[in-house]
Amino acid sequence: MLFAKLKVNSFLASVMLLAGSAAIAQGITLGVTPILTRIFSPEEFGFLAVFTSALTILLAVSSLRYEFALPKVRNVKQAQTLVFLCLWVLLVSGFFVFVFVVLTTSSGFVFWGDQGLIWFLPIGVIFAGAFQVANYWAVRGKSFNDLAKANVSRSLFQAVTQVGLGLAGIGVIALVAGYVLSQAVGAIKILSGVIRDTRLPSYPRLKVVAVRYIRFPLFSMPASVLNVSALHLTPFLLVYLYGAASAGFFL
């Protein structure tokens, strides 16, 4: 009876597909957690919590929220141009984050217990931002099967990488590297076709698309920053008030 309804109702089938893939992805994360907690200390998980929170806040501005426009664009060529615009903005954002990292580290500023994690922020902005763009591109094209596979592949890659590098004894960097690189896996799985099959748009065309959808940076981005910051400032407060181990237990 249920399978018959799924065949008739494509929307219900898509919802079930995404829900099932999300459950599998979360199941992988949940299943590997007992292993990770025996490899890494609560303090190392605290550093991961602060890193992911900082990255999530940066992602609210990294692509200027142009990806929000993707589901609304009906013209395929224009949507492809918008994808390239998002990726170009991400590269610029990653560069500015890299400059910030160089300036803060050269000035002797100690970041997250001086674990060197701040150097993963620029590449994290690019990879995780690309995965956000990939999500909206998949939603626009109703490529829910690709999105489901990408979510599962991302979680599986993250779990394997974190455990493998953790057993190699490189410390908290294993947690962060696994998280950052898994974002690239998810993005490549969806966006590889777009990049391969689309001619690189010219700068004037990118500028036209940027101006056409300027309301997203103007209105959606500030709201996203406030919303995300309210949710992800907790690890920073826990580290400041009680230490990294408390943030690790919170995570």
Side-chain angles (χ1 to χ4, degrees), residues 62 89-99 121-123 125-126:
S62 60
V89 174
L90 282 172
L91 290 175
V92 175
S93 299
F95 172 75
F96 280 114
V97 174
F98 175 75
V99 172
L121 272 181
I123 193 171
V125 165
I126 296 173

Side-chain angles (χ1 to χ4, degrees), residues 28-41 45 159-160 162-164 166-167 175:
I28 293 172
T29 302
L30 184 63
V32 79
T33 298
I35 302 174
L36 294 177
T37 53
R38 282 157 178 77
I39 300 175
F40 303 99
S41 66
F45 275 106
V160 172
Q162 288 178 335
V163 171
L167 292 175
L175 290 173

Side-chain angles (χ1 to χ4, degrees), residues 15-170:
V15 171
M16 293 294 290
L17 178 63
L18 291 178
S21 65
I24 294 173
Q26 293 295 330
I28 293 172
T29 302
L30 184 63
V32 79
T33 298
I35 302 174
L36 294 177
T37 53
R38 282 157 178 77
I39 300 175
F40 303 99
S41 66
E43 185 179 36
E44 289 172 322
F45 275 106
F47 292 136
L48 174 65
V50 176
F51 176 87
T52 54
S53 293
L55 180 58
T56 303
I57 294 172
L58 286 174
L59 288 177
V61 299
S62 60
S63 57
L64 304 181
R65 287 312 193 198
Y66 272 117
E67 71 272 15
F68 280 11
L70 279 171
K72 301 177 180 296
V73 181
R74 294 185 177 182
N75 184 278
V76 176
K77 189 173 182 180
Q78 193 173 104
Q80 292 170 338
T81 303
L82 190 57
V83 168
F84 278 95
L85 174 65
C86 290
L87 296 178
W88 183 82
V89 174
L90 282 172
L91 290 175
V92 175
S93 299
F95 172 75
F96 280 114
V97 174
F98 175 75
V99 172
F100 168 78
V101 171
V102 171
L103 293 177
T104 53
T105 52
S106 62
S107 64
F109 181 74
V110 178
F111 195 73
W112 301 332
D114 198 21
Q115 300 290 322
L117 303 183
I118 191 174
W119 292 100
F120 282 89
L121 272 181
I123 193 171
V125 165
I126 296 173
F127 287 169
F131 184 65
Q132 281 189 161
V133 175
N135 272 271
Y136 284 93
W137 172 259
V139 170
R140 181 199 173 275
K142 297 181 181 179
S143 305
F144 300 117
N145 190 43
D146 292 338
L147 185 56
K149 290 179 180 178
N151 281 324
V152 174
S153 299
R154 183 172 61 96
S155 291
L156 185 59
F157 181 87
Q158 178 177 328
V160 172
T161 303
Q162 288 178 335
V163 171
L165 294 179
L167 292 175
I170 66 174

Side-chain angles (χ1 to χ4, degrees), residues 223-235:
S224 296
V225 171
L226 291 174
N227 184 45
V228 169
S229 298
L231 295 172
H232 290 276
L233 285 177
T234 304

